[in-house]
Amino acid sequence: DSGSLEGTHWVLLTLNGRSPLAGTTITAEFLEDQISGYSGCNSYFGPYVDAGALQFEEMGLTAMACLEPEGVMVQEATYIEALRGVDRYRLAGDRLEMMGESSEVVLVYERQEVPEADPADLVGTEWSLVTLDDSPLDEGMTITISFEENRYRGFAGCRHFEGDYHANGGEIRFTSTAMLEDECPGAGNEYYIREGQFTDSLTWARHWAIVGGQLEIQTVRGGVLLFA
């Protein structure tokens, strides 16, 4: 290898020579002796050993099932299997290649830059959601979020929410979310779907930056929450 993996973040370019399915994102990040990431449907995590050879031991995986896009679960299983078969790697600039025992390149990644940001800039701010994964909110719906130090709260169009977050530079994790009302009287199914999409996106959040007066939160799934 040519450099340490620790502290690096990556997005998968090819799996066994093929690009990931359209609309899917697969990521990997290395912290100390742990790898974690998003494998197209689930989050995965586990220890790794980088000592002459690269080994991924026991991989843990969350237990969601994804129906779309077609083939995403097979792709995820193929990816985890490929990781388990990795023997060594080559790191050159913004490209990471992982090889199996036969020296064949099975996984190719591109470096993911973490935005430069100061978490103190979030404290005391309040934002209104403009778009969620490029789609604007339904007319008449408002979703807001405000930040204190390590706590956030907001309004999801009818119900209020609050929880804990942790930001370190341009990285962010929303570690808990609680809805403050049990239900929203008179709300249609569309409201609950949109609210669920928003709170789900928060749980997948990984990076943030304030750009041109707007707050951008990027999710591990490749989505973006854009706030004004």
Side-chain angles (χ1 to χ4, degrees):
D1 70 64
S2 49
S4 167
L5 291 173
E6 186 175 335
T8 61
H9 299 244
W10 304 90
V11 178
L12 189 72
L13 290 179
T14 61
L15 166 59
N16 296 328
R18 294 182 180 177
S19 300
L21 292 167
T24 65
T25 302
I26 295 177
T27 66
E29 51 188 271
F30 296 87
L31 296 172
E32 295 181 19
D33 301 325
Q34 293 281 321
I35 182 176
S36 64
Y38 179 66
S39 45
C41 176
N42 287 281
S43 294
Y44 69 94
F45 43 87
Y48 74 94
V49 178
D50 179 10
L54 180 65
Q55 284 179 302
F56 298 100
E57 304 288 327
E58 299 161 26
M59 283 289 167
L61 205 63
T62 53
M64 284 171 50
C66 296
L67 302 176
E68 295 175 353
E70 190 177 335
V72 68
M73 300 304 289
V74 173
Q75 174 178 270
E76 179 171 84
T78 304
Y79 173 70
I80 298 297
E81 188 181 340
L83 268 184
R84 287 184 174 132
V86 163
D87 188 51
R88 57 189 171 283
Y89 68 95
R90 186 163 50 229
L91 178 57
D94 291 337
R95 186 179 174 92
L96 169 64
E97 297 178 350
M98 293 189 189
M99 286 78 82
E101 286 181 13
S102 64
S103 296
E104 190 178 337
V105 175
V106 289
L107 299 164
V108 178
Y109 300 85
E110 179 178 49
R111 191 183 295 271
Q112 184 178 34
E113 293 300 336
V114 178
E116 286 190 19
D118 181 356
D121 293 342
L122 274 180
V123 177
T125 63
E126 181 169 359
W127 306 88
S128 184
L129 187 67
V130 179
T131 56
L132 174 57
D133 297 344
D134 293 329
S135 70
L137 289 184
D138 304 333
E139 201 171 323
M141 188 174 188
T142 302
I143 294 179
T144 64
I145 190 169
S146 63
F147 294 89
E148 299 157 26
E149 198 165 341
N150 300 321
R151 290 284 292 171
Y152 71 99
R153 63 189 72 244
F155 177 65
C158 180
R159 300 200 291 175
H160 295 81
F161 59 89
E162 64 178 22
D164 297 320
Y165 77 96
H166 175 70
N168 178 23
E171 295 183 54
I172 194 165
R173 297 281 196 285
F174 292 89
T175 50
S176 69
T177 304
M179 305 309 293
L180 301 188
E181 295 89 13
D182 289 336
E183 54 188 53
C184 174
N189 203 32
E190 317 79 52
Y191 164 72
Y192 288 104
I193 289 172
R194 194 49 132 176
E195 178 189 89
Q197 287 171 335
F198 172 70
T199 54
D200 275 355
S201 292
L202 289 184
T203 66
W204 293 109
R206 287 298 178 270
H207 300 134
W208 73 279
I210 296 173
V211 181
Q214 292 187 310
L215 171 64
E216 294 180 14
I217 296 177
Q218 300 165 1
T219 74
V220 71
R221 292 170 140 178
V224 176
L225 296 113
L226 184 64
F227 297 86

